[in-house]
């Protein structure tokens, strides 16, 4: 699956795990507790990965200035906003966003499992979030040690797909876009 996009591999995993979950006796309390344990362990592992990345970001504390233009919201007539920050602050913001997304997934899964009594998604949600976390740009930079060039150059490009089209486009970091935003005075306040 090395040459496939993450969305395709996620779909393959979901379809495979749906077939596996049909054969698992969730009405057996021992099996159900085991699946719950796997789900909890996967989320603890993700939290540990994010905490390790946070310590690496804080240890490196790269104060290189980073300027980019955030796209305007979809349907808005205004232009994008200039953001001036540091690599350290940008990485911490990306990490907060990833952790917040993970907590939202846990909350949704908790609601679906505890309130609505769905058990099958526990298996899928034990695998897909770990896979997504280990494919993230921050993991590639701080754990795998890949250089921050190409697709890993900050600001990170949004993955192509339906949701990226709804969000209004890509972040622009080219010199021309940044200079145009500086001239028109759109934003520019340094984020801390």
């Amino acid at each position: 699956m090395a040459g496939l996009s993450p969305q395709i591999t996620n779909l393959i995993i979901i379809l495979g795990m749906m077939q596996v979950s049909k054969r698992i006796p969730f009405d057996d309390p021992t099996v159900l507790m085991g699946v719950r344990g796997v789900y909890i362990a996967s989320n603890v592992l993700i939290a540990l990965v994010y905490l390790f990345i946070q310590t690496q970001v804080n240890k490196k504390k790269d104060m290189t200035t980073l300027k980019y233009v955030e796209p305007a919201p979809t349907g808005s007539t205004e232009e994008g906003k200039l953001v001036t920050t540091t690599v350290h602050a940008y990485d911490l913001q990306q990490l907060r966003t990833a952790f917040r997304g993970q907590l939202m997934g846990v909350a949704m899964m908790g609601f679906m499992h505890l309130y609505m009594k769905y058990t099958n998604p526990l298996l899928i949600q034990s695998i897909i979030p770990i896979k997504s976390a280990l494919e993230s740009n921050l993991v590639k930079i701080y754990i795998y040690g890949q250089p921050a060039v190409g697709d890993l150059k900050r600001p990170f490009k949004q993955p192509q797909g339906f949701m990226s089209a709804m969000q209004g486009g890509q972040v622009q970091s080219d010199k021309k876009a940044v200079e145009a935003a500086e001239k028109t005075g759109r934003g520019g306040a340094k984020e801390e």
Side-chain angles (χ1 to χ4, degrees):
M1 286 197 237
L4 297 175
S5 73
Q7 292 88 359
I8 299 295
T9 55
N10 285 351
L11 184 62
I12 292 169
I13 290 170
I14 289 170
L15 292 175
M17 291 311 291
M18 285 173 59
Q19 296 304 313
V20 169
S21 68
K22 288 180 182 178
R23 292 167 176 71
I24 294 178
F26 286 111
D27 49 348
D28 181 1
T30 308
V31 172
L32 183 59
M33 288 305 288
V35 172
R36 287 176 180 162
V38 168
Y39 176 74
I40 291 169
S42 71
N43 281 290
V44 168
L45 178 67
I46 292 168
L48 290 173
V49 166
Y50 288 159
L51 289 173
F52 177 76
I53 291 172
Q54 183 179 10
T55 60
Q56 295 301 314
V57 168
N58 288 332
K59 186 170 28 170
K60 189 172 182 181
K61 200 156 187 139
D62 187 353
M63 299 308 271
T64 306
T65 301
L66 179 65
K67 290 184 179 184
Y68 60 94
V69 179
E70 284 184 343
T74 304
S76 174
T77 58
E78 60 190 48
E79 296 182 17
K81 182 180 93 170
L82 177 67
V83 177
T84 304
T85 186
T86 63
V87 170
H88 177 257
Y90 180 79
D91 286 352
L92 288 177
Q93 183 260 333
Q94 292 293 311
L95 194 58
R96 274 192 298 275
T97 301
F99 195 69
R100 193 176 308 120
Q102 185 62 29
L103 290 177
M104 288 294 293
V106 169
M108 286 176 53
M109 192 65 238
F111 172 77
M112 288 175 60
H113 179 64
L114 298 174
Y115 182 72
M116 299 177 75
K117 306 295 185 209
Y118 290 139
T119 53
N120 293 3
L122 282 174
L123 281 177
I124 296 168
Q125 291 303 312
S126 297
I127 297 171
I128 297 292
I130 286 180
K131 178 184 169 296
S132 297
L134 294 177
E135 290 175 341
S136 74
N137 291 332
L138 290 174
V139 169
K140 289 177 184 175
I141 292 170
Y142 288 103
I143 294 180
Y144 301 152
Q146 296 180 3
V149 295
D151 287 343
L152 298 179
K153 186 174 186 229
R154 295 169 186 92
F156 302 132
K157 290 181 173 58
Q158 297 295 323
Q160 293 298 319
F162 177 71
M163 290 308 289
S164 66
M166 297 293 290
Q167 293 171 347
Q170 294 288 341
V171 171
Q172 297 176 323
S173 60
D174 58 292
K175 191 173 182 178
K176 183 178 175 184
V178 169
E179 287 177 355
E182 285 175 339
K183 286 180 185 174
T184 59
R186 300 185 315 246
K190 185 170 184 174
E191 291 183 356
E192 296 295 329

